[in-house]
């Protein structure tokens, strides 16, 4: 390996220097790679995608008629037949590089001399008629793909070139590479800002350097490519992989990125895949049930070809499924993606994507679905609520979008939502019009606030607080206040401001109720009177009845037939129905949307959104709002869900619910309480359930299993002490907080978690310290507690559902009582691997708690 030195002299002679970047481009949380260029000691061909000993494998892949390879091979064959025999001088600047790469690859597979001749002819005419004036006569994003296509073709036909042909082709490729190298980042004539117009040509420059690694400028080209790429990955990506230009431009980057990553690894042995792993995890974390990236920012629904990088992640671990190589999750993601179109890159006029797919996909690799929780909370500002990882007749999906603003393809969509359910997209974002960026007639629509599922103030969209902070800060992600994740209740809240009117604040919260439907709770407040609104866009046939809006989608290539019922409160607010462009689906032209609005210094809006099958019964909805709070009840069969939203901590009572919380929910089934949640409240009463807290509390609670109380709490703040009572609470022996047993007392049905300084106090003495060894254990575990002053003690083991597993008998020593558990049940059966809970009781009640973990 070597680092070129001639480029240093060339740079000095040129007298150029890399421009200092604007401060905004160096203050985000993205990532970067080592820019030290590494080149092989000797240029070899083929080497970009594979070496010569892999050609036999490529030829063998096309034989299996049931495989993906066979389908791809027929597409490659169709392109090869289209270009074979053509006069390359008659092809335009888009087709000629495609022809060069396609015919060169076809020659490798079929040993067709006519294809070889065509590929060489195209290479000898590379960039013919494409001027290099520095005045951007041709877009650099296309030139990037042309250069990679020509470099690949050159790599594959290298050994068939005579000396004159080789010299001529290398000069053409070197001239284009030097042109791009001099005009991105340094000259900034082509890509003055770090986004896809810089990264795509950067990766192409890197590929050219690797294809011509013996060229005296190769090290300079490669280093410049890595430096230019870093300016984009630092700014457009978050540390957890979110791409701020949206899924369309993530995919548009992948057209050049994925080949370059493989080229660097294959030619120089340098793998940058580890650094880019978050960028390949992100499309999986936010995927819809059908595997698509939502159309946030300028975008259509886009798949992620993760199968094309899967082989690079053998041995890598991801939190998506830590039990398998990340390889398997990448394979699964694409295998379970429904392609809307085979030509999904956004660059199909220039790319030969099926060739890259044919080479880089390895069908022998295993597949494994994610085992991570379906709900995903990303530090970069996105939250995904879902009930499962794959689509189904009753799947649920909501993307809560709150990423820091960028300066390219950026929409006014802060704190917007994208909703899917029942295997259909129900409430899309604005995204792109049918003609994409060139859709000037509609662009004035889909880059406005009214085109997004957001909350507005005087018609303006929210923004992150960077423009409002002192000192000024760039790249500020909206504040995330709370995250709760439990099967019965998930919750996220984000906060933002407005550039205009600058006095307004927005708190938007999303609740995912029982993994079944969604609630959007908006609180807006300002110093002066404003007109506030909240917008919701749906797909399909639209109907409105009072404050219930309904959209019904029809079955097509984007999903199944489905329905979205939206109940909007307060009913005293004005609701209007409007029409705009759908701007997502090319075969659907218009979107029907609603705007709920009210005027004042503050406003609160509650939207209850229920995905459903087209013929499902419509839930009963009752407006319970008062002058002080917005409230509603949703009745489905024997289940009643009551919601309340307010902007302060007044004590408010509506039918079925009384609380001082700013947001609350209570569920009853056949009149019996089952579940509740509150945000920043001290008191909640609903029927026979009563909760009192020492300080403002954000929490959810569920009584679903005998003897067990499930508590879900946000990780952002300590859990305030509280007490709760309800029918049946006297039998509770296990209290789980986020799945972990916690110390508590239970005095005649009043459960106390933590130490209260007000309200009901526990009557039992403080719990005794407990010693458990070993823990985790495999065969047996010993538990010691200090010997009590009087009476006997017993210890009981419970499983995670609160079912009694074993009553233990203790042996007394001078200072301790010792219990031993051999991992068996009362009837002598072995217990399973997992978590168990211990309760030790003396004459005066519970004196100790513990948690036992059994391993294999």
């Amino acid at each position: 390996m070597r680092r070129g030195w001639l480029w240093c002299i060339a740079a000095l002679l040129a007298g150029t220097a890399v421009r200092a970047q604007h401060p905004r481009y160096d203050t985000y949380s993205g990532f970067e790679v080592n820019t030290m260029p590494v080149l092989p000691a000797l240029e070899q061909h083929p080497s970009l995608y594979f070496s010569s000993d892999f050609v036999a494998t490529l030829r063998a892949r096309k034989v299996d008629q049931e495989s993906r390879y066979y389908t791809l091979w027929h597409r490659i064959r169709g392109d090869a037949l289209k270009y074979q025999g053509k006069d390359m001088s008659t092809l335009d600047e888009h087709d000629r590089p495609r022809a060069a790469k396609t015919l060169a690859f076809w020659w490798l597979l079929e040993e067709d001399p006519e294809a070889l001749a065509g590929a060489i002819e195209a290479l000898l005419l590379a960039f013919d008629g494409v001027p290099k004036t520095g005045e951007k006569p041709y877009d650099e994003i296309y030139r990037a793909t042309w250069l990679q296509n020509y470099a690949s073709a050159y790599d594959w036909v290298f050994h068939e070139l005579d000396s004159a042909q080789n010299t001529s082709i290398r000069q053409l490729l070197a001239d284009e590479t030097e042109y791009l190298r001099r005009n991105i980042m340094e000259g900034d004539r082509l890509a003055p800002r770090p986004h896809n117009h810089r990264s795509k040509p950067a990766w192409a420059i890197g590929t050219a350097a690797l294809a011509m690694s013996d060229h005296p400028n190769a090290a300079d080209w490669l280093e410049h490519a890595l430096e230019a790429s870093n300016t984009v990955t630092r700014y457009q990506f978050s540390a957890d992989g979110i791409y701020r230009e949206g899924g369309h431009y993530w995919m548009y980057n992948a057209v050049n990125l994925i080949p370059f990553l493989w080229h660097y690894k294959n030619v120089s042995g340098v793998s940058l895949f580890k650094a880019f792993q978050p960028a390949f995890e992100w499309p999986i974390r936010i995927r819809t049930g059908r595997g698509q990236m939502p159309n946030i920012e300028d975008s259509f629904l886009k798949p992620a070809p993760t199968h094309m990088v899967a082989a690079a992640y053998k041995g890598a671990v991801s939190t998506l499924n830590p039990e398998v190589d990340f390889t398997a999750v990448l394979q699964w993601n694409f295998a379970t993606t429904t392609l809307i179109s085979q030509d999904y890159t956004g660059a199909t006029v220039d790319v030969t994507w099926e060739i890259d797919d044919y080479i880089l996909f390895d069908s022998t690799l295993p597949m494994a679905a994610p085992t991570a929780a379906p709900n995903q909370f990303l530090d970069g500002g996105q939250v995904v609520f879902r009930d499962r990882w794959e689509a189904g007749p009753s799947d649920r999906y909501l993307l809560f979008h709150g990423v820091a603003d960028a300066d390219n393809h950026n929409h006014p969509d802060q704190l917007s939502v994208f909703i899917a359910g029942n295997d259909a997209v129900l409430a899309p974002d604005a995204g792109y019009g049918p003609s994409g960026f060139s859709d000037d007639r509609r662009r004035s629509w889909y880059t406005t606030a009214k085109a997004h599922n957001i909350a507005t103030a005087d018609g303006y969209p929210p923004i992150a607080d960077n423009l409002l902070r002192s000192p000024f800060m760039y790249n500020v992600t909206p504040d995330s206040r709370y995250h709760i994740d439990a099967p019965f209740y998930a919750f996220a809240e984000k906060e933002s401001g407005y550039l205009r009117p600058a006095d307004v604040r927005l708190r938007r919260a999303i609740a995912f109720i029982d993994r079944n439907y969604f609630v959007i709770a908006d609180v807006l407040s300002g110093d002066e009177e404003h007109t506030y609104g909240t917008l919701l866009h749906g797909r399909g046939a639209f109907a409105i009845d009072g404050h219930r809006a309904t959209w019904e989608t029809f079955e097509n290539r984007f999903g199944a037939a489905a329905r979205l019922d939206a109940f909007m409160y307060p009913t005293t607010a004005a609701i209007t129905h409007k029409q705009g462009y759908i701007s997502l689906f090319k075969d659907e032209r218009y979107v029907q949307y609603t705007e709920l609005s009210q005027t004042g210094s503050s406003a609160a809006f509650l939207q209850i959104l229920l995905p459903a099958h087209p013929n499902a019964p419509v839930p009963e909805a009752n407006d319970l709002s008062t002058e002080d709070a917005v409230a509603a009840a949703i009745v489905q069969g024997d289940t009643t869900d009551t919601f309340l939203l307010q902007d302060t901590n007044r004590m408010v009572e509506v039918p079925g619910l009384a609380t001082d919380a700013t947001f609350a929910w209570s569920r009853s089934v056949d009149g019996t309480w089952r579940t509740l949640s509150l945000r920043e409240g001290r008191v909640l009463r609903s029927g026979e359930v009563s909760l009192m807290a020492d300080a403002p509390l954000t929490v959810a609670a569920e009584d679903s299993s005998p003897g067990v109380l499930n508590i879900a709490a946000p990780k952002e703040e300590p859990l305030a002490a509280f007490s709760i009572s309800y029918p049946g609470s006297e039998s509770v022996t296990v209290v789980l907080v986020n799945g972990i047993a916690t110390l508590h007392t239970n005095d005649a049905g009043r459960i106390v978690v933590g130490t209260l300084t007000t309200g009901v106090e526990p009557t039992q003495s403080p719990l005794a310290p407990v010693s458990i060894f070993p823990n985790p254990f495999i065969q047996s575990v010993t538990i010691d507690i200090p010997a009590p002053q009087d009476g006997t003690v017993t210890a009981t083991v419970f499983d995670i559902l609160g079912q009694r597993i074993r009553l233990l008998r203790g042996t007394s020593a001078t200072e301790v009582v010792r219990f031993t558990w051999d991992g068996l049940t009362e009837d002598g059966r072995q217990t399973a691997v997992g978590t168990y809970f211990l309760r030790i009781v003396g004459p005066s009640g519970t004196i100790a708690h513990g948690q036992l973990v059994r391993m294999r």
Side-chain angles (χ1 to χ4, degrees), residues 40 97 113 218 420 612 618 807:
V618 177
L807 179 65

Side-chain angles (χ1 to χ4, degrees), residues 544-598:
I544 189 166
D545 181 10
H547 276 246
R548 174 201 168 209
T550 300
W551 292 266
E552 288 195 30
T553 70
F554 50 89
E555 184 175 2
N556 61 8
R557 61 190 178 133
F558 303 109
R563 191 180 80 217
L564 176 66
D565 293 316
F567 299 94
M568 304 177 185
Y569 303 99
T571 54
T572 54
I575 186 169
T576 54
H577 160 227
K578 301 179 180 181
Q579 180 172 285
Y581 296 114
I582 184 69
S583 65
L584 168 62
F585 307 104
K586 294 184 180 182
D587 53 356
E588 297 177 31
R589 292 306 181 198
Y590 301 103
V591 61
Q592 312 287 337
Y593 71 99
T594 58
E595 182 175 14
L596 192 67
S597 62
Q598 53 183 310

Side-chain angles (χ1 to χ4, degrees), residues 177-417:
T177 305
E178 190 66 25
Y179 169 75
L180 290 176
R181 183 255 183 271
R182 292 297 178 193
N183 287 284
I184 65 166
M185 204 165 69
E186 282 191 0
D188 275 349
R189 295 186 186 95
L190 301 181
R193 294 176 291 123
H195 51 72
N196 71 89
H197 282 252
R198 180 180 290 176
S199 56
K200 286 170 67 68
W203 292 318
I205 293 168
T207 289
L210 295 165
M212 299 182 290
S213 61
D214 279 349
H215 193 283
N217 290 353
D220 169 52
W221 295 337
L222 182 54
E223 181 173 47
H224 195 78
L226 296 169
E227 289 175 346
S229 168
N230 278 348
T231 67
V232 178
T233 58
R234 283 199 304 264
Y235 177 67
Q236 291 293 351
F237 285 94
S238 68
D240 46 9
I242 299 171
Y243 189 64
R244 293 197 284 179
E245 291 186 272
H248 180 89
Y249 287 94
W250 181 98
M251 182 63 239
Y252 206 29
N253 268 283
V255 166
N256 303 98
L257 169 63
I258 290 176
F260 169 72
L261 291 177
W262 280 111
H263 297 165
Y264 203 13
K265 185 175 187 294
N266 292 336
V267 173
S268 298
V270 177
S271 177
L272 303 181
F273 283 100
K274 182 177 181 180
F276 278 86
Q277 181 169 328
F280 292 114
E281 290 178 327
W282 175 65
I284 304 174
R285 294 188 189 281
I286 67 161
R287 58 170 271 157
T288 67
R290 287 190 160 215
Q292 307 291 336
M293 293 180 281
N295 65 321
I296 296 295
E297 308 301 349
D298 274 345
S299 187
F300 302 117
L301 288 175
K302 283 291 174 180
T306 52
H307 64 307
M308 292 170 65
V309 298
Y313 287 98
K314 295 176 182 178
V317 177
S318 169
T319 56
L320 287 164
N321 185 341
E323 300 301 317
V324 297
D325 287 356
F326 186 37
T327 290
V329 181
L330 292 162
Q331 288 282 86
W332 167 88
N333 179 65
F334 190 76
T336 57
T337 293
T338 302
L339 296 181
I340 296 172
S341 169
Q342 292 296 323
D343 296 326
Y344 58 80
T345 65
T348 51
V349 71
D350 302 289
V351 303
T352 53
W353 195 238
E354 65 277 1
I355 294 177
D356 295 70
D357 195 339
Y358 187 93
I359 297 168
L360 300 176
F361 169 53
D362 184 348
S363 63
T364 67
L365 297 176
M367 292 191 299
T371 56
N375 296 330
Q376 291 284 298
F377 301 88
L378 280 71
D379 291 338
Q382 290 180 328
V383 173
V384 175
F385 296 112
R386 54 162 74 86
D387 69 321
R388 68 191 77 172
W389 284 98
E390 291 187 54
S394 302
D395 71 303
R396 299 290 183 263
Y397 177 96
L398 183 147
L399 173 68
F400 188 11
H401 181 64
V403 176
D405 289 327
D407 68 350
N408 202 55
H409 294 294
N410 187 68
H411 279 217
D413 58 1
Q414 282 290 358
L415 308 193
S416 64
V417 297

Side-chain angles (χ1 to χ4, degrees), residues 790-831:
D790 56 347
T792 60
V793 293
T794 59
T796 307
V797 178
F798 298 88
D799 66 11
I800 198 167
L801 298 178
Q803 300 171 326
R804 196 176 91 165
I805 299 298
R806 182 78 175 271
L807 179 65
L808 305 178
R809 305 294 178 182
T811 59
S812 297
T814 305
E815 299 179 350
V816 300
V817 177
R818 173 164 294 174
F819 301 91
T820 300
W821 182 39
D822 56 8
L824 301 179
T825 63
E826 297 281 10
D827 56 4
R829 291 179 292 110
Q830 287 285 348
T831 53

